[in-house]
Amino acid sequence: MMITVSKNDEVVGGMMGEIILEMKGISKAFPGVQALSNVDLELRSGEVLALLGENGAGKSTLMKVLTGIYQKDEGSIVYQGKEIEIPDTKTAQSLGISIIHQELNLAPDLTIAQNIFIGREPKKGFNLFLDEKQLNKMTQKLFDRLNINLNPREKVENLTVAKQQMVEIAKALSFDSKVLVMDEPTAALTDSEIDSLFTMIRKLRSDGVGIIYISHRMEELKKITDRVSVMRDGTYVGTVGTKETTIDQIIAMMVGRQIYHNQKPEIKNRSHEKVLEVKNLNRGKTIKNVSFELNKGEILGFAGLMGAGRTEVARAIFGADPFDSGEISIKGKKVQIKSPYDAVQNGIGYLSEDRKQYGVMVEMDVKSNVAIASMDDFLNLGFMNGTKINHQANEMVESLKIKTPSVHQLVKNLSGGNQQKVVIGKWLTRNSDILIFDEPTRGIDIGAKDEIYKLLINLAEQGKSIIMISSELPEILRLSHRVIVMCEGMITGELQNDDNISQESIMALATKRVG
């Protein structure tokens, strides 16, 4: 039974104060779409409020209304006890309402200090020259308050993603923000970087900042949030206390249905027939003497921390990056793969972790994306057979359950999960026997993840062979028959999922240096 937290309830273990923000009855429509319908949201000072929902639930639209990117059609916003209007982003910032987007928005060639105070730089010499000394002093003072150990003079291009995120947080708080929205803040971070981020969030919470935290990683909720507000199909479902509610109950609120569970998939056509063999693969410092085998009908998980070399191995196998030495054999025959074209010709499909840059052409429609890797199959006397392409695309939409008005819809208008399905459809159209999935569920919601999981298992049951790279250990454990673990470019261990392996055993290998 779900426990709904009323406005007067205190969060156990939190530092919640008075209500700082109320969004009441917010509605927002776009041509042909009712994005928000009578949505409520409440945030207290000194709390971390998770805002959850599947892609398309309306979370981003609601936050864009809050931060002045969109204007509401109906409803009211009460901030610090007063009803306000937020006509633009500058107004939101001046009020102390800031957002840190999933895609960071920093100028790489500027220093940290210049990025934080861009457009608000202190001047000297009759207000004609930038006062760099004062700028760096202001930034250092801000860092001292937030316990951030960075050099204000360092260029942003030299920072890791995690440190860039710290800069974004500092920039937001330089506006004296009382409300901070964080959109998928851990999507590109390692476990240790996530711990550092959570330490900073707890510091902000203790300082009375109200934080709205958007994430698809359910395991983070118990660690960092006080309450959870859930949206579904543009409407408000409810708010629950994190400690009093199970993850399954929260998921049920999000999707309105029971989520599929299968810890160890039973693959009907699994065999020990080797379809891919990699021997002694090397590439500079990123791939060091990597060898492994992939069997027919198998899901082979690749685990490791960021920078372990997993993606580099995948790109080398697919011919996207050259390798220095090593051998690749497919079905017992040694092959030369020097380009993605060679890989595709040998039956390999690759779903990149960055689907928008390498997986789909967002400005083209669904049917073009599905057909792009198999254009030769759709030629008829030198002309493209549009009818055949439409038929194939419709077949993929139906079999993969891609949510789209038609195959003529532009891919950029689809949710992340459906974009991922379009990429899968492209390689199934090509009839690839070996599929490499690099972070297949990154940035997609729990319901879409569930559909991708089912799809991977079904593909394996059909005899496809799958390499799955994932930073989410529950995902690795749930789907993989075997798990290969990498650290610093080397394979540090191989585990059978029949052996009751755990996140702890994987992490032990992921942090094990060899040599």
Side-chain angles (χ1 to χ4, degrees), residues 122-156:
K123 301 291 180 65
K124 64 181 180 179
F126 302 103
N127 214 32
L128 294 176
F129 302 101
L130 173 65
D131 190 342
E132 288 278 4
K133 185 176 180 181
Q134 180 62 18
L135 178 67
N136 292 328
K137 187 177 179 181
M138 290 163 58
T139 304
Q140 189 60 57
K141 186 177 179 181
L142 182 63
F143 284 175
D144 290 343
R145 178 165 70 88
L146 298 172
N147 293 325
I148 294 176
N149 185 24
L150 290 176
N151 182 353
R153 298 171 182 81
E154 184 78 48
K155 281 194 174 183
V156 164

Side-chain angles (χ1 to χ4, degrees), residues 383-426:
F383 295 95
M384 203 61 65
N385 189 330
T387 302
K388 190 176 179 181
I389 290 174
N390 284 341
H391 176 75
Q392 177 63 24
N394 277 306
E395 210 172 79
M396 284 296 149
V397 166
E398 184 177 348
S399 64
L400 300 178
K401 297 183 174 62
I402 301 172
K403 293 178 183 175
T404 177
S406 75
V407 296
H408 305 289
Q409 176 70 276
L410 295 182
V411 169
K412 69 178 181 181
N413 295 327
L414 304 184
S415 70
N418 286 298
Q419 287 181 2
Q420 193 74 307
K421 289 181 184 180
V422 170
V423 186
I424 295 170
K426 172 177 72 176

Side-chain angles (χ1 to χ4, degrees), residues 272-481:
H272 294 288
E273 176 189 338
K274 276 188 284 191
V275 295
L276 172 69
E277 189 173 6
V278 175
K279 288 183 179 178
N280 306 320
L281 197 66
N282 289 279
R283 183 173 192 262
K285 294 181 179 180
T286 60
I287 305 174
K288 303 172 188 174
N289 203 35
V290 166
S291 300
F292 67 92
E293 298 171 354
L294 175 67
N295 297 322
K296 183 176 180 179
E298 177 182 42
I299 301 176
L300 177 63
F302 265 71
L305 302 177
M306 190 173 292
R310 298 166 301 162
T311 293
E312 288 78 4
V313 168
R315 288 178 59 84
I317 294 170
F318 191 62
D321 295 327
F323 54 90
D324 302 330
S325 61
E327 294 181 5
I328 298 173
S329 299
I330 294 177
K331 296 179 180 177
K333 181 182 177 183
K334 186 178 174 182
V335 295
Q336 295 292 328
I337 298 179
K338 296 183 178 180
S339 69
Y341 177 82
D342 294 336
V344 172
Q345 292 300 111
N346 281 285
I348 302 175
Y350 177 48
L351 291 86
S352 166
E353 61 179 332
D354 188 345
R355 61 176 170 268
K356 288 187 177 178
Q357 185 170 352
Y358 299 116
V360 290
M361 297 170 292
V362 294
E363 297 295 336
M364 295 181 72
D365 57 23
V366 172
K367 62 179 174 59
S368 300
N369 273 276
V370 166
I372 193 67
S374 312
M375 282 301 184
D376 289 350
D377 296 338
F378 297 105
L379 286 175
N380 187 9
L381 300 176
F383 295 95
M384 203 61 65
N385 189 330
T387 302
K388 190 176 179 181
I389 290 174
N390 284 341
H391 176 75
Q392 177 63 24
N394 277 306
E395 210 172 79
M396 284 296 149
V397 166
E398 184 177 348
S399 64
L400 300 178
K401 297 183 174 62
I402 301 172
K403 293 178 183 175
T404 177
S406 75
V407 296
H408 305 289
Q409 176 70 276
L410 295 182
V411 169
K412 69 178 181 181
N413 295 327
L414 304 184
S415 70
N418 286 298
Q419 287 181 2
Q420 193 74 307
K421 289 181 184 180
V422 170
V423 186
I424 295 170
K426 172 177 72 176
W427 295 119
L428 293 183
T429 296
R430 179 72 202 187
N431 199 25
S432 301
D433 291 323
I434 299 167
L435 294 166
I436 304 173
F437 287 76
D438 195 347
E439 302 289 358
T441 64
R442 174 172 287 171
I444 64 178
D445 59 71
I446 191 73
K449 278 186 180 183
D450 188 60
E451 292 179 353
I452 296 293
Y453 294 160
K454 288 180 182 177
L455 184 56
L456 264 64
I457 291 170
N458 287 338
L459 290 173
E461 287 178 345
Q462 293 167 27
K464 303 291 184 184
S465 303
I466 296 169
I467 294 173
M468 184 185 71
I469 300 167
S470 178
S471 297
E472 296 192 30
L473 293 185
E475 190 166 271
I476 288 282
L477 291 172
R478 176 177 177 174
L479 295 175
S480 308
H481 297 99

